Amino acid sequence: MRHLLSPMDFTTEELDKLFDLANDIENNPAKYAHACDGRILATCFYEPSTRTRLSFESAMLRLGGQVLGFSDAGSSSASKGESVSDTIKVISGYADICAMRHPKEGAPMVAAEKSDIPVINAGDGGHQHPTQTLTDLLTIRSLTGTIGNFTIGLCGDLKFGRTVHSLIHALERYEGINFIFISPQELRVPDYITEELKANNIPYEEVTNLETVMPQLDFLYMTRVQRERFFNEEDYIRLKDFYILDTAKMELAKPEMLVLHPLPRVNEISVEVDKDPRAAYFKQAKYGVYVRMALILTLLELV
Ligand code: CP
């Protein structure tokens, strides 16, 4: 039995197979419409979500399976003090696979140790968000034909943004990736990540000014400031609008640069940018369904 707890749990060859499957599902949905008949996905979300939970549910329903679960800890027996370990033991008897989001880093790993069914980390605190990374990589590959040999700017809250941490890890394994980290000083990418990049001779630079690096970028990965991870509201208010991508800044970018964002967006991308053909973030959200369909089939060993 296999889980997905970190984006590194799959080799790059396995990821290629997963993305081939996701593209096949996108092009031939009818072929997969009954692939999960009789199977049940549990979505155990101890933190809010729109995309991750609903795209998992959409994925299972589109595969012919069924879904059950909870969308906030307060409506589950976690509110009575039940542990994640006990919850997953019980859920193992109710479902065939579980996607879990939790505010505590490592909670899905703890669950996986006690689980009789595959567990998917759907985001754990400020740590990792592996299925968002699968979505990001599939988007990059589907829209450009390959993953590698590009400069990516990651902009915003690089300290608490788990999607950023997961994506950097995953991209470290591809050839020719040049990272530019764009953040206020207080929201810099954690040291353990820059130390890993240094140890592996992977080029990166850290800057605070978005405009000056815009012309270099092949991808701009925008992120929101993660209000829920701040210790005080004052700091959040001071930093929340540090970066706002607008049409004036887009004029500085390459004609083929793509803008990605895991969403939800708050103010960091003006809605006027949505009309720019380089804005790829809503397409990206849709790729999240195909890649989660491919992941469910893979972990249930149905392909
Ligand atoms: N990208 C993402 O994880 O969005 P949700 O928080 O809405 O699931």
Side-chain angles (χ1 to χ4, degrees):
M1 188 182 59
R2 209 167 168 188
H3 308 286
L4 179 75
L5 301 173
S6 149
M8 308 302 263
D9 288 350
F10 281 24
T11 64
T12 51
E13 291 75 25
E14 287 173 322
L15 288 180
D16 269 338
K17 274 178 70 179
L18 190 83
F19 299 149
D20 288 343
L21 177 59
N23 287 142
D24 195 49
I25 291 168
E26 179 187 5
N27 295 325
N28 306 288
K31 198 169 130 188
Y32 298 92
H34 296 285
C36 279
D37 278 357
R39 309 290 177 131
I40 298 174
L41 165 77
T43 52
C44 297
F45 276 58
Y46 296 82
E47 258 195 347
S49 167
T50 296
R51 268 144 300 276
T52 311
R53 187 172 66 82
L54 296 184
S55 65
F56 263 117
E57 295 191 359
S58 174
M60 193 48 147
L61 295 171
R62 284 164 192 257
L63 291 167
Q66 293 176 286
V67 294
L68 53 78
F70 53 85
S71 58
D72 93 272
S75 68
S76 80
S77 286
S79 63
K80 303 175 205 161
E82 186 171 53
S83 68
V84 162
S85 301
D86 282 0
T87 301
I88 196 67
K89 277 189 204 158
V90 172
I91 298 284
S92 292
Y94 297 168
D96 301 291
I97 186 165
C98 173
M100 178 179 286
R101 170 170 289 188
H102 203 286
K104 283 207 182 117
E105 300 189 358
M109 293 73 177
V110 171
E113 279 173 19
K114 303 288 179 191
S115 180
D116 298 325
I117 59 173
V119 173
I120 301 167
N121 178 1
D124 62 321
H127 185 217
Q128 299 276 344
H129 193 343
T131 62
Q132 181 62 48
T133 298
L134 299 184
T135 303
D136 302 340
L137 295 179
L138 175 64
T139 305
I140 290 171
R141 203 188 80 150
S142 300
L143 297 182
T144 68
T146 185
I147 305 172
N149 300 305
F150 57 70
T151 295
I152 182 165
L154 296 118
C155 178
D157 184 349
L158 309 187
K159 179 178 180 182
F160 296 116
R162 59 191 172 199
T163 63
V164 167
H165 305 160
S166 280
L167 183 58
I168 297 168
H169 268 310
L171 285 175
E172 280 175 26
R173 299 187 295 184
Y174 291 91
E175 288 296 315
I177 308 291
N178 183 35
F179 292 102
I180 302 184
F181 301 136
I182 308 147
S183 74
Q185 188 64 19
E186 296 92 328
L187 298 178
R188 284 178 52 217
V189 75
D191 288 344
Y192 78 88
I193 291 181
T194 50
E195 276 157 25
E196 196 174 279
L197 293 173
K198 274 186 219 148
N200 292 314
N201 288 321
I202 297 169
Y204 74 89
E205 58 182 298
E206 294 184 273
V207 301
T208 50
N209 191 292
L210 173 60
E211 285 93 322
T212 52
V213 296
M214 278 296 270
Q216 298 176 51
L217 305 179
D218 300 301
F219 294 95
L220 173 59
Y221 193 94
M222 293 297 293
T223 62
R224 79 186 163 91
V225 175
Q226 307 269 306
R227 179 180 207 159
E228 64 276 30
R229 316 246 179 258
F230 272 68
F231 293 111
N232 71 68
E233 185 73 2
E234 257 173 47
D235 284 349
Y236 170 73
I237 287 167
R238 185 167 52 80
L239 294 168
K240 72 184 176 68
D241 294 328
F242 203 93
Y243 299 107
I244 298 180
L245 182 66
D246 55 17
T247 48
K249 292 193 186 79
M250 287 298 286
E251 280 174 22
L252 304 170
K254 291 179 185 174
E256 67 283 7
M257 184 198 79
L258 291 177
V259 183
L260 302 175
H261 192 313
L263 305 176
R265 150 176 68 184
V266 185
N267 284 327
E268 61 280 355
I269 302 180
S270 299
V271 288
E272 63 192 16
V273 176
D274 298 357
K275 292 197 284 288
D276 191 306
R278 296 169 291 182
Y281 30 91
F282 291 116
K283 282 185 203 155
Q284 185 184 356
K286 198 164 176 193
Y287 280 118
V289 177
Y290 304 126
V291 88
R292 289 181 175 99
M293 289 171 82
L295 180 64
I296 290 169
L297 289 175
T298 303
L299 294 181
L300 289 177
E301 299 180 355
L302 294 173
V303 283

